Amino acid sequence: MTVIKKIQPLGEILKAKGVITSAQLEEVLREGKRTNTRIGKVLVNLGYATEEDIAKALADQYQMPSIMLSNTILDPQTSKLIPEAIARRYMVLPISTEKDSIKVAMLDPLNVFAIDEIKRITNRTVEPFVTTETEILKAINQYYGMETSLEEMIKKVQASGLELLKGEEDLPEKLEKIAADTSIIQLVNLIISRAVMEYASDIHIEPDEDTLRIRLRIDGVLQETANLPLRWHPAVISRIKILGELDIAEKRLPQDGRFVVKLGSHDIDIRLSTLPTIFGEKAVLRLLDKSKLVLDFDHLTPNPDTLAILKKIIKRPFGMILLTGPTGSGKTTTAYTLLNLLNTMDKNLVTVEDPVEYHIKRINQVQVNTKVGITFASALRHILRQDPDIVMIGEIRDKETADIAIHAALTGHLVISTIHTNDAIGTISRLLDMGIEPYLVSSAVSCIVGQRLVRKICDNCKAPFDADQRLIAELGVKFPGKVPQFYKGSGCTACKNTGLKGRIGIYEVLVLDEELRSMIVSKSDNNTVIEAARKKGFKSLRIQGIRAVVGGHTTVEEVLQATQVVD
């Protein structure tokens, strides 16, 4: 029987690496003992470490290599060496073979039963590689395939002959009957599971004139994945509405719902929104996976020095930090990351959100509910009576909320909030347009963070190229001396031949000092304020994007699309 020698406890390794503190380790050990859960799982659940951190630490602990399967192209034929049932039972996946050995990615490389079983089946010695739960689940589904393909599922639904007669689409009992059909349930489940496997953030189910279109938003871009017969629309929408506990008979009004699905060991929280269109109801499903939420500044941006100032700002006992950018620019993730840094036992953290996307231990999170009178403003008034140290407001939408937030920042509270503007400097004008007095803005606001998400060059097919002068000119900057080396993805199966996979953040951080505060009070124009900030080291989103391009993290086209030149 194969034996792997343990060297040092996982928690001690992570503490030595600076990933967790001694206090966090003690808390994790207590929680693991109380719930009989592996320490790695507890660390991820509490947000103290990422799955990648755990995999690297396990690799150190077992003195063996780790592997990130999402960045690795595997031969589908190799997966056939280990039956799917064994792969799923032991959470293992063959990577490659030599003459007398087989390299295997494993969630638990100490599982001697799994190693012995693989050795027996393949008649080869086993070389284990450590990986993460998310990575191996996705890879197993990809290389062994789901129980059935989408194409096969569509044929199965077609064979069932599901179709409503004219007028029956308004009868709730008929809608419930077709929505409960096994083939429709499997089809909807397959659409959702495929979206999760592709790391999609949203599923769009859209009826058109002659088709029912399914699109996934992956890395911020919508991609069409299937076209279904339009006659299936009532069944698919009804099934989704039943999951979200919505009224299947109501088609004239928009509805919002929420439900949870389990994929592997992950609970996927899904927010559902329906909207009547001229061809029928459209549904959008927002997928929220806690396991993918990484609350670590080092993972937010390739330019970590940009956010270093934020780590100093949040140590102040009071003031306001505003996060700004369009919808989908990652403001919520940045806010949660700030809260995670502040989340200690001696602090009272309270948030008011719409909706509460992720639940974080020790933070008191309040859900906006306008039906019963809980708005951002009303909730904030009550929160300030709860002796808070730090308050996070999901979004400042009106003067009333802005007024209360600013006065909270002026009376000894640290306030973190988001606001919809194009960039950091535009936030000042937005607050003034709301009717906030300039002296209040200058006194309360500590710093403003503008941000965007851009797609990342695929690590698997990344290659250098020489940019032409036209492309360089479009960036709007002049490089002193030699033009730096640029990179792009040549396209591969890992990125579906797009050359881009995953996203990174680019940030501009405007810190208000005495000079800038005086300029706000005197109502100086934006260009004047920007020029003064530049002299103090402020770098705009465009400049930060160019830094990411030069660093080989993203492409010129992505930066041009996401940012603009500030005059």
Side-chain angles (χ1 to χ4, degrees), residues 324 419-433 448 508 510 526 530:
T324 186
I419 189 168
H420 279 257
T421 58
N422 289 327
D423 50 28
I425 192 64
T427 302
I428 297 171
S429 300
R430 174 76 176 125
L431 290 171
L432 298 179
D433 289 343
I448 306 170
E508 59 179 14
L510 180 67
N526 286 353
I530 280 288

Side-chain angles (χ1 to χ4, degrees), residues 127-147:
E127 296 181 35
F129 282 67
V130 183
T131 191
T132 70
E133 185 175 7
T134 299
E135 290 269 313
I136 202 163
L137 268 176
K138 185 175 186 293
I140 286 173
N141 287 333
Q142 178 181 350
Y143 287 97
Y144 287 102
M146 302 294 288
E147 292 182 359

Side-chain angles (χ1 to χ4, degrees), residues 8 24 51 107 168 201 213 223 244 264 293 396 415 429 507:
Q8 187 181 9
Q24 288 173 334
E51 287 191 328
L107 180 63
E168 287 186 335
S201 61
R213 185 181 301 106
Q223 302 176 13
L293 183 67
I396 292 179
V415 179
S429 300
Y507 295 80

Side-chain angles (χ1 to χ4, degrees), residues 293-313:
L293 183 67
V294 180
L295 303 179
D296 184 354
F297 270 115
D298 294 336
H299 289 81
L300 290 179
T301 176
N303 305 326
D305 59 311
T306 308
L307 296 178
I309 185 63
L310 266 182
K311 293 183 179 180
K312 297 179 181 179
I313 296 292

